[in-house]
Amino acid sequence: MGSIDATELASEKKPNPGKATILAIGKAFPHQLVMQEYLVDGYFKTTNCDDPELKQKLTRLCKTTTVKTRYVVMSEEILTKYPELAIEGGSTVKQRLDICNDAVTEMAVEASRSCIKNWGHSVSDITHLVYVSSSEARLPGGDLFLAKGLGLSPETHRVLLYFVGCSGGVAGLRVAKDIAENNPGSRVLLATSETTIIGFKPPSKDRPYDLVGVALFGDGAGAMIIGSDPDPVSEKPLFELHTAIQNFLPDTEKTIDGRLTESGINFTLSRELPQIIEDNVESFCKKLIGKAGLAHKDYNQMFWAVHPGGPAILNRMEKRLSLSPEKLSPSRRALMDYGNASSNSIVYVLEYMLEESRKSRNMNGSENEWGLILAFGPGVTFEGIVARNLDV
């Protein structure tokens, strides 16, 4: 990757030749809207649990996550058809996958159609598909079912990223960027889709982390079109993806641990995760912006599109990097409105980033052109992209 020269820094926000750009964004959600204030009573009623200690703990967690609303696939109809999902210890992985496989495809198709509509081009113009999910498992994979649902050409080149977790959205962007820049004229559809049904379980004192998931995670899908050298007449670039890197932290494999079992996915999340991210995020950001030739940039003169893994992670990042409170506003808004939606979240954050950027430009005529897109996932893996806001 080359450095950025002075003429580029003084650009009129035109995309650099050959660099991948995000050309459109779309999203979709299941029909069940969960208000956080009603979640505790509903969850304990649904699972036929009457443990006051666990109920009190979940009540506390629901307040600390800062989540206000979320969308979920789980419904009364599903539990009526599959009551065993709310029973401890049952062998239900087949039932869960039957529900999840259909649900993630439906949401991914809807998000992709919305994105393609916003792009303004035909589905036949898509040459590549990158599909990301940690909520399904089947062969052939969800990429094929999404391609079929959209009516993509059989010649579409597909890439499937399974079980990448919360870093999956940015990992997908990195892969889409590489494809777009190495295949001139290509247009890549990146689609992410997640549902928590794969890990839905009744409360248990033996699995305290389950309550964190109940209080924090949400369902949905996201989509983006990525391509280089956008058509100046028919395409409107939103972000340029200038430089991307990935790092994993050795000996942190157990920090975020997920296992597919007969009763669904069992997750454990170390309490040290926010501290691990705080200890390593600054060096990662310095490496990323240095590789892009932006080492002189003030962090508060950049925009920050950060996956909202939880309020503790955002708070520690803000403190370690001395960020102004408004810098992580898009991430906090996405967390508040949708919960942690795993790989989808970065799509929702970027949409809020555009909204806030337009408001800032209209109010005071200023905005941050350069910024970082970041996510953290199992490994512990850091994904980062130096990006330019091209929205005008």
Side-chain angles (χ1 to χ4, degrees), residues 173-198:
L173 266 180
R174 174 174 51 80
V175 172
K177 166 183 165 60
D178 288 348
I179 292 171
E181 292 178 354
N182 285 284
N183 295 271
S186 62
R187 289 297 179 263
V188 186
L189 170 63
L190 167 63
T192 65
S193 193
E194 309 284 4
T195 173
T196 50
I197 282 184
I198 194 71

Side-chain angles (χ1 to χ4, degrees), residues 215-264:
L216 182 64
F217 288 99
D219 301 355
M224 291 185 270
I225 298 291
I226 296 95
S228 59
D229 302 315
D231 185 307
V233 176
S234 64
E235 293 179 313
K236 184 178 182 297
L238 303 174
F239 293 97
E240 177 182 290
L241 306 176
H242 193 279
T243 303
I245 66 172
Q246 179 200 71
N247 284 177
F248 70 89
L249 304 178
D251 304 319
T252 60
E253 300 94 315
K254 298 292 185 181
T255 304
I256 304 172
D257 188 72
R259 306 295 170 111
L260 186 60
T261 70
E262 290 183 351
S263 58

Side-chain angles (χ1 to χ4, degrees), residues 281-289 294-304 317-318 320-324 327 368 370-372:
V281 68
E282 186 169 15
S283 61
F284 179 78
C285 290
K286 285 182 177 179
K287 183 186 299 184
L288 175 56
I289 64 176
L294 285 171
H296 62 285
K297 276 283 187 180
D298 184 324
Y299 288 154
N300 281 300
Q301 296 301 314
M302 306 175 75
F303 67 80
W304 292 78
M317 271 195 61
E318 186 175 281
R320 175 55 65 97
L321 302 175
S322 300
L323 297 177
S324 302
K327 289 298 169 182
N368 299 127
W370 291 90
L372 298 185

